[in-house]
Amino acid sequence: MNIILVTKEDFTSQNSTQLNGSLVLIGTVILNDRRFKHIKEVHKAEAGDKLRVGILHGNTGLGKVIEISEKSVTLELSLTDEPLKPLPLTLILALPRPKMLKRILQSAASLGVAEIYLINSYKVDKSYWSSPVLSEDSLNEHLQLGLEQGISTQLPKIHLRKRFKPFVEDELGAIAKGSEKLVAHPYNASPCPIAVDQSTTLIIGPEGGFIEYEINKLCEIHFQTISLGKRILRVETAIPFAIAKLFSS
Amino acid sequence: MNIILVTKEDFTSQNSTQLNGSLVLIGTVILNDRRFKHIKEVHKAEAGDKLRVGILHGNTGLGKVIEISEKSVTLELSLTDEPLKPLPLTLILALPRPKMLKRILQSAASLGVAEIYLINSYKVDKSYWSSPVLSEDSLNEHLQLGLEQGISTQLPKIHLRKRFKPFVEDELGAIAKGSEKLVAHPYNASPCPIAVDQSTTLIIGPEGGFIEYEINKLCEIHFQTISLGKRILRVETAIPFAIAKLFSS
C-alpha cells in the first residue's frame, strides 16, 4: 500500500478550496478497516506522521495523523496534487483463470491501464465465468489493490463480455475507434511497436492462444497481430512487457 | 508447456550427427512423469504427432510420438535447431517472499534471463531464507517451468547470497564488470535506458525498497539508479517491464 485510498464516504468533514488555481480537497477522515490496520501495523504511524493519501478518482496529497487508537485512525487530509493520468490503453483479455485474474487485475491497475474488457474465447475454460472473482466487488477490490501499489487513484473501468462473436462484431469496432489496434499473437506478426504513446487497444489471448477463426475476426476489423518476441510469455508477464514497449512513460 | 524439455538421462538411444555443419541430436526418449501426463492430457497426442522438444542446455526440434500408452510415451527426437540465446542479463533480486519467488523465477526464466542472484537486504524478512522454495531442486523446478513456458532450454544459473555487505563489497564488482550497472530505485534516478542490448546487471530491491545505506553501497561501486516510471510496481511486474525496456528482442 504505497498510497492510502479514501472515498467520499470516509470523510467526517470536508471542504475544497482553490490554491494556485487548482482545486484542493481538505478534510478529515476516520478509518477503521484494513487501511487502519496497514497504517498501524506496517507504517507504525504515530500522531503527527504524514502519509501519502489519495481520493478515489481524484487528487493525491498528504494525510496527517491526528489521532491513532487501537480501533481507528483520524487523518487530516490536504489533497493538493493532480493524480497520475491513466495510460490511454484499453486492455482486452481473454478471461484468465481466476487465480491469475486477481494478480493480473492488480498488475494492470498498478501499471495505469484505463479500461479493461474480459472476454470469452475458444480456449477459455467455461467454468472461469462462474468464479466469484468476477463479482463487481471482487473485481474492484483487486483493481483498488493495484492502485494502492501504483500510487494511482483512477480505478480502471472494467467490463465482462461472455460472447466473443457479438463483442467483436457489434462492439469492438466502436471501442477501438481511432486507436492503435493491436493483438498479441506470435504468428505472421509484426514486432511490437515501441513508444506509440497514443490511444491503444491491446488484445491478449488466453493461455494457448486465440484460434485462427478468432484472429481472422479481429483482423477483419483492422487489428494488427504483433509479436512480443520469440519467447512465449504468460499473460501476467506479457502485460507489463507490452506496456513497457508501447508507452514511454 | 510450450516445449517438452528432456535431459540426457531420458534417452534410451542417442546419436549425434552433422547436418549443414551443425550438430544434430537424434534419439529416442521414454517419458512417464508430468511431461507424459501433459503430452497425454493437454496435447492429447497420438502416434505420429510431432511435438516441440528441447534438451536442457541444448538444441530444440521435434519429437515424433512413436507410441503412447496409459503409462508412458516414446518419442523419436530430431533436435536440429540452436536454442534461443539467453539475454545478456544478470538479475539481482532482494529475496522476495516465497510465494512470489516461485512465480518470479518462472517469469524470469521464460523471459530469458541468463543468471539470477537472490540476495539479502534490510527489508527482506529473515524467515524467507528458511523457505523450502530455496532448495536447489525447488529453484530448478520453477526455473524449468519458466523454460517450458518460454520455449528455452538454457536454465538460468542461480545463486543465493545471505549477506548483503560482503556480497556487494567482495563479489558484485567482479560479477558486474564490463556490464551496464543498474539498480531500480525511484529516487534521484535516471529514466530506465531503452534497448541497451548489451551485457547488463540489474538489481531490484525488496517490496518497500532498499534503504539509503544499501543504495549508497551500490552507488559506490558505480551502479546507477534508474526509474521505471512514476508508478511503483511489484517486483513481479517490474521484471518484465524493465526487460522490455532494456532489450529490443
Side-chain angles (χ1 to χ4, degrees), chain A residues 214-228:
Chain A
E214 292 168 334
I215 288 292
N216 290 343
K217 292 300 282 179
L218 296 171
C219 291
E220 270 171 25
I221 56 168
H222 311 298
F223 273 79
Q224 181 196 335
T225 52
I226 59 161
S227 156
L228 300 177

Side-chain angles (χ1 to χ4, degrees), chain B residues 58-75:
Chain B
N59 272 9
T60 65
L62 289 176
K64 185 175 168 187
V65 178
I66 300 300
E67 198 188 336
I68 185 159
S69 70
E70 292 304 310
K71 287 189 179 159
S72 68
V73 60
T74 306
L75 298 174

Side-chain angles (χ1 to χ4, degrees), chain A residues 84-123:
Chain A
L84 291 177
K85 273 199 188 131
L87 298 173
L89 173 63
T90 297
L91 192 58
I92 300 180
L93 301 176
L95 183 64
R97 66 188 159 83
K99 214 173 154 180
M100 283 181 64
L101 175 61
K102 295 182 191 178
R103 299 201 303 265
I104 286 170
L105 293 174
Q106 292 183 32
S107 166
S110 76
L111 287 157
V113 173
E115 195 153 4
I116 299 171
Y117 285 81
L118 299 173
I119 69 167
N120 199 30
S121 147
Y122 184 77
K123 288 188 186 161

Side-chain angles (χ1 to χ4, degrees), chain A residues 150-217:
Chain A
I151 53 171
S152 320
T153 67
Q154 309 278 350
L155 203 67
K157 287 180 206 149
I158 187 157
H159 316 270
L160 309 183
R161 293 296 182 265
K162 284 195 186 182
R163 294 174 62 210
F164 181 85
K165 192 164 169 258
F167 172 70
V168 174
E169 288 183 350
D170 306 336
E171 236 188 316
L172 184 53
I175 291 166
K177 196 176 174 185
S179 75
E180 287 286 311
K181 300 174 190 67
L182 308 174
V183 50
H185 186 71
Y187 309 104
N188 298 323
S190 320
C192 180
I194 308 296
V196 298
D197 289 329
Q198 58 172 300
S199 176
T200 300
T201 307
L202 173 65
I203 307 182
I204 296 184
E207 303 291 337
F210 283 119
I211 60 172
E212 206 182 329
Y213 165 83
E214 292 168 334
I215 288 292
N216 290 343
K217 292 300 282 179

Side-chain angles (χ1 to χ4, degrees), chain A residues 2 52 84-86 103 107 110-112 149-152 230-234 237 240-241 244-245 247, chain B residues 2 52 84-86 103 107 110-112 149-152 230-234 236-237 240-241 244-245 247:
Chain A
N2 296 309
R52 184 154 45 186
L84 291 177
K85 273 199 188 131
R103 299 201 303 265
S107 166
S110 76
L111 287 157
Q149 173 65 39
I151 53 171
S152 320
K230 287 175 188 160
R231 295 176 172 88
I232 301 178
L233 303 177
R234 276 191 182 277
T237 308
F241 191 92
K245 296 278 190 207
F247 298 96
Chain B
N2 296 308
R52 185 155 44 187
L84 291 176
K85 273 197 187 136
R103 298 202 303 266
S107 164
S110 76
L111 287 158
Q149 172 65 39
I151 53 168
S152 320
K230 287 175 186 159
R231 296 177 169 87
I232 300 178
L233 303 177
R234 275 192 183 278
E236 63 197 282
T237 308
F241 190 93
K245 295 278 189 208
F247 297 96

Side-chain angles (χ1 to χ4, degrees), chain A residues 138-150:
Chain A
S138 167
L139 292 172
N140 283 334
E141 181 196 332
H142 293 289
L143 292 173
Q144 198 160 324
L145 289 171
L147 295 185
E148 291 171 0
Q149 173 65 39

